[in-house]
Amino acid sequence: MELTKIAFGGCCHWCTEAVFQTLVGVNKVEQGWIASTEKNNTFSEAVIVSFNTDKINLKTLIEIHLFTHKSTSNHSMRTKYRSAIYYFTHQQKEDCLKIIKELQVSFKDKIITKVLTFKEFKPNTEEFQNYYQSNPDKPFCQNYINPKLTFLLQQFSQNIDKRKVSHLIPTT
């Protein structure tokens, strides 16, 4: 089993963490802040995702990322919530750029997500790690995370570990 790392930022790291924790093939999600280089050298909320390439591919991860945050909106909070994919190797950079270009046809507006060098990570405090799994009934989780997970169940059901979202699946 080969594990690969990639990092994503775009919205609240609690939301991003919960989205990637539900996916089959994702072994670990580290939640905190990531800095890149040059004009993107400030820390922004993000996660590092360690995944098994035999169970989920980079294109699926990127597609899910783009559809679960405002990847076409250059809103006023982009410093705190940078829309980005942080790569660890040159090959990842090339793959990410190619995948975003291919996925652009699925979006009405231009994707603004940047592909940036991963430089530094600061984890969030322990009390906020695994936020959704620890607090699924809190209003934030109900109002912001559950709609993203419901979307994943509808659009990416083959990639979801249903045990992790069983409370969102209607019983018949």
Side-chain angles (χ1 to χ4, degrees):
M1 168 176 78
E2 180 186 340
L3 285 183
T4 302
K5 287 194 321 187
I6 193 83
F8 298 101
C11 59
C12 169
H13 48 207
W14 296 346
C15 293
T16 310
E17 176 189 55
V19 164
F20 288 104
Q21 283 178 331
T22 65
L23 301 179
V24 172
V26 171
N27 290 49
K28 183 178 180 183
V29 179
E30 299 171 77
Q31 178 224 111
W33 292 268
I34 293 178
S36 185
T37 58
E38 299 167 13
K39 67 181 179 179
N40 297 297
N41 67 353
T42 57
F43 284 95
S44 184
E45 292 193 22
V47 298
I48 300 172
V49 175
S50 298
F51 64 102
N52 179 340
T53 57
D54 293 333
K55 294 186 178 180
I56 194 164
N57 61 45
L58 183 60
K59 182 175 183 177
T60 300
L61 292 172
I62 291 172
E63 185 175 16
I64 287 169
H65 178 60
L66 295 176
F67 277 110
T68 56
H69 83 284
K70 294 181 179 179
S71 61
T72 61
S73 173
N74 202 5
H75 56 75
S76 63
M77 296 293 287
R78 278 293 173 223
T79 302
K80 183 177 181 182
Y81 306 120
R82 185 180 300 126
S83 182
I85 302 167
Y86 300 91
Y87 61 87
F88 290 86
T89 68
H90 180 72
Q91 185 60 54
Q92 273 187 339
K93 175 184 179 182
E94 297 303 315
D95 292 345
C96 291
L97 291 169
K98 179 181 172 201
I99 291 166
I100 290 172
K101 186 176 181 180
E102 289 171 5
L103 292 173
Q104 179 62 63
V105 298
S106 300
F107 292 83
K108 184 180 88 171
D109 297 320
K110 182 170 176 18
I111 295 170
I112 62 148
T113 304
K114 297 174 180 166
V115 177
L116 302 171
T117 304
F118 174 89
K119 181 164 187 224
E120 190 175 354
F121 177 72
K122 288 196 288 190
N124 204 346
T125 59
E126 187 67 31
E127 70 182 296
F128 294 117
Q129 297 292 329
N130 299 306
Y131 189 79
Y132 181 77
Q133 293 172 351
S134 302
N135 304 286
D137 295 323
K138 288 213 173 185
F140 182 88
C141 296
Q142 295 290 313
N143 294 326
Y144 296 100
I145 299 174
N146 278 353
K148 291 173 190 275
L149 299 181
T150 299
F151 169 80
L152 287 177
L153 279 168
Q154 293 166 350
Q155 301 298 318
F156 295 91
S157 62
Q158 72 279 10
N159 301 108
I160 304 301
D161 182 339
K162 309 258 184 328
R163 296 169 300 175
K164 295 180 180 177
V165 292
S166 61
H167 61 287
L168 296 174
I169 300 172
T171 55
T172 54

